[in-house]
Amino acid sequence: MTRVRFDTTDVDVGERESVLDALLRAGADVPYSCRSGVCQSCCLRAVEGTPPSAAQVGLPPTLVALGHFLACVAHPQDDLVCARPGALAGAVDATIRERESIAADVVRVRISPNIPFVVKPGQYVNLARTDGLVRSYSVANLADEDGYVELHVRVLEHGAMSRWIANDAVPGTPVSLRGPAGSCVYVPGSPHEPLLLAGSGTGLAPLLGIARDALRHAHRGPIHVMHGGRTEAALYGADALAQLARAHANVAVTRCVLEGPGSDDIVQGRLDHVIAARHADLSGWRVYLCGHPDLVRTLQQDAFLAGASLDAIHADAFLTRADAPVPTG
Amino acid sequence: MTSLFERLGGQAAITTAVDVFYRKMLKDPRVARFFATTDMNRQRAKQAAFLTMVTGGPNAYTGKDMRAGHAHLVAQGLDDSHVDVVIEHLGATLAELGAKPEDIAQVAALANSVRDDVLNRASPSTAGR
């Protein structure tokens, strides 16, 4: 007999019951439809315990790695604590540790959580000010190794949080972090797979983190990072990218601008066109796409049509709406 | 008698089938416009459910879902010719995955059985198309 917890429900899963059956019997509010492991409506995430792999068939590998499973076909061996897939864990108190302007409109902020905070690069966190103002940002670093969470914040003209970070969030300022969420993460296990990491603007933040995560796992296949911006001034992070490429023979970097001339290391052209020109065939590639929603949608479809499998395309579209549940930078 | 779903390799084969089928649809100018604003991740789950159903796998597809899911496309001009394209690509996809002609004919018949629901027509299927 195993026990399952979800929200306020805590129930024993019967011999022939699925996790969904048990939760519904106990009155929990879980969405579901097909009850046969197909429609994925009842997808939950195991926060504690290991979900049965039979209940993860058909899910993309990133979601499997993050503990997602289909409740309707889950007959667990382990006790499980479950959450809704997008649910954020409780807030963790944290402190602004360093802040540096790294481009005309990008501030790099490093935040020390007061207690250990587990997040994979490529996921995002909700950063909250003490008065309750909240925005989502993608994590750019290996937080466990570095001991801090690094975010790249694009400073928007009317951005309440981004302007505050740029102007007022001096080191020592208390904030809190909630999360993590998002599934645009590196999945160990296929070290020879070629990786394409492409994005615009502060989409570079998660891409840098994913690249570092892959290299930490001794990824040996090619890692091609492609960063696009309107002008050269928008292409921040040149040093970090150059450093990665110098240190690892399998890392290649392409930077491109919409406006202005190209140069030795900057291609003139739209990111989607530059990718198409260099990667006409993406079958067998794993593709990570981060940045502006329209661009991400275009790149996602292009990558699929170029042969990348749907399961191998991971996208994180940044919205800038104040209440958006996805990253703004 | 095992279903085509099982003979193709179950859920894992469906994942491959969605890739092949969805790519054919997006590359076909006759139907690509209907996917212009689609969220690819949601589409992936829906197509998996569809392919599971038409190959005889476990499913809970209902006529109501089919109507609700396609109403906005019918408003954009979705008609019999587009359903024909779907069935054409469905057959080609299953052939690539190793399905036999008689299996494909059976799948086409199943897909045809939901034609009226997809196109939001009141009459029961006139069958045999």
Side-chain angles (χ1 to χ4, degrees):
Chain A
M1 184 82 77
T2 55
R3 210 162 171 76
V4 169
R5 225 165 70 204
F6 174 75
D7 277 349
T8 53
T9 307
D10 195 341
V11 65
D12 282 325
V13 183
E15 191 87 343
R16 315 185 63 162
E17 269 187 325
S18 68
V19 169
L20 179 67
D21 293 333
L23 289 174
L24 293 176
R25 175 170 54 79
D29 178 22
V30 187
Y32 67 94
S33 175
C34 79
R35 305 187 87 144
S36 6
V38 174
C39 74
Q40 304 188 356
S41 309
C42 66
C43 186
L44 297 180
R45 185 168 63 88
V47 185
E48 282 172 35
T50 308
S53 54
Q56 298 179 306
V57 175
L59 291 176
T62 44
L63 294 187
V64 172
L66 293 165
H68 291 232
F69 68 98
L70 303 176
C72 69
V73 288
H75 302 275
Q77 305 292 311
D78 258 11
D79 289 355
L80 296 177
V81 179
C82 314
R84 289 185 174 78
L88 298 174
V92 169
D93 289 336
T95 310
I96 303 277
R97 166 194 177 122
E98 277 177 62
R99 190 183 54 155
E100 191 183 338
S101 174
I102 53 174
D105 62 347
V106 181
V107 172
R108 182 182 69 200
V109 58
R110 291 175 170 163
I111 300 169
S112 302
N114 296 355
I115 59 169
F117 183 79
V118 179
V119 56
K120 284 179 194 279
Q123 289 192 294
Y124 60 92
V125 295
N126 275 1
L127 172 66
R129 206 163 68 179
T130 49
D131 67 353
L133 182 73
V134 180
R135 292 291 183 276
S136 302
Y137 296 100
S138 287
V139 171
N141 70 327
L142 304 174
D144 53 349
E145 222 168 75
D146 296 338
Y148 55 82
V149 173
E150 176 173 315
L151 313 175
H152 298 173
V153 176
R154 188 155 69 90
V155 184
L156 302 166
E157 197 183 343
H158 301 290
M161 178 66 94
S162 63
R163 299 213 78 84
W164 176 75
I165 289 172
N167 300 328
D168 306 310
V170 295
T173 304
V175 289
S176 69
L177 294 172
R178 281 190 76 183
S183 60
C184 196
V185 297
Y186 179 73
V187 182
S190 306
H192 297 287
E193 198 171 48
L195 306 183
L196 172 62
L197 314 180
S200 60
T202 47
L204 182 64
L207 298 177
L208 274 174
I210 294 162
R212 276 186 68 192
D213 203 18
L215 292 165
R216 166 165 72 163
H217 285 94
H219 195 91
R220 289 184 288 279
I223 301 176
H224 194 169
V225 186
M226 303 184 80
H227 188 208
R230 202 167 56 78
T231 62
E232 191 174 342
L235 288 182
Y236 76 98
D239 292 347
L241 288 171
Q243 199 183 334
L244 272 185
R246 262 198 313 275
H248 303 276
N250 56 334
V251 175
V253 174
T254 301
R255 303 160 71 228
C256 59
V257 289
L258 271 180
E259 295 168 15
S263 66
D264 283 353
D265 63 340
I266 295 184
V267 183
Q268 206 274 321
R270 278 170 51 163
L271 182 60
D272 54 338
H273 294 170
V274 175
I275 294 174
R278 306 206 167 187
H279 294 288
D281 182 3
L282 286 171
S283 48
W285 285 67
R286 188 162 292 281
V287 180
Y288 294 88
L289 306 167
C290 304
H292 192 279
D294 294 341
L295 177 77
V296 165
R297 184 197 292 276
T298 301
L299 296 182
Q300 207 178 1
Q301 201 169 89
D302 288 355
F304 179 57
L305 291 176
S309 166
L310 278 178
D311 268 1
I313 303 174
H314 311 290
D316 188 1
F318 293 1
L319 299 185
T320 46
R321 235 181 22 242
D323 54 355
V326 292
T328 55
Chain B
M1 160 107 186
T2 58
S3 65
L4 175 60
F5 174 82
E6 288 162 50
R7 278 178 283 132
L8 286 174
Q11 193 69 61
I14 295 298
T15 302
T16 311
V18 169
D19 262 357
V20 175
F21 174 67
Y22 189 12
R23 199 173 283 125
K24 284 184 193 298
M25 296 286 285
L26 284 178
K27 283 190 171 169
D28 189 328
R30 293 173 294 175
V31 289
R33 67 183 172 97
F34 294 112
F35 297 96
T37 58
T38 307
D39 177 322
M40 290 182 75
N41 294 325
R42 277 192 212 139
Q43 190 59 216
R44 173 187 180 280
K46 284 183 187 159
Q47 297 207 4
F50 171 67
L51 290 169
T52 303
M53 178 198 73
V54 295
T55 54
N59 74 87
Y61 242 51
T62 68
K64 197 171 144 237
D65 289 342
M66 290 298 254
R67 281 171 192 270
H70 293 90
H72 65 294
L73 299 177
V74 172
Q76 290 169 32
L78 188 80
D79 63 24
D80 277 306
S81 73
H82 305 115
V83 176
D84 292 341
V85 172
V86 169
I87 293 173
E88 174 189 327
H89 289 315
L90 185 58
T93 300
L94 294 171
E96 274 182 41
L97 295 182
K100 292 194 282 285
E102 54 267 35
D103 287 325
I104 293 169
Q106 206 178 349
V107 165
L110 248 166
N112 260 315
S113 72
V114 296
R115 183 186 286 264
D116 286 332
D117 284 327
V118 168
L119 295 177
N120 215 1
R121 284 194 294 239
S123 62
S125 175
T126 46
R129 275 198 46 123

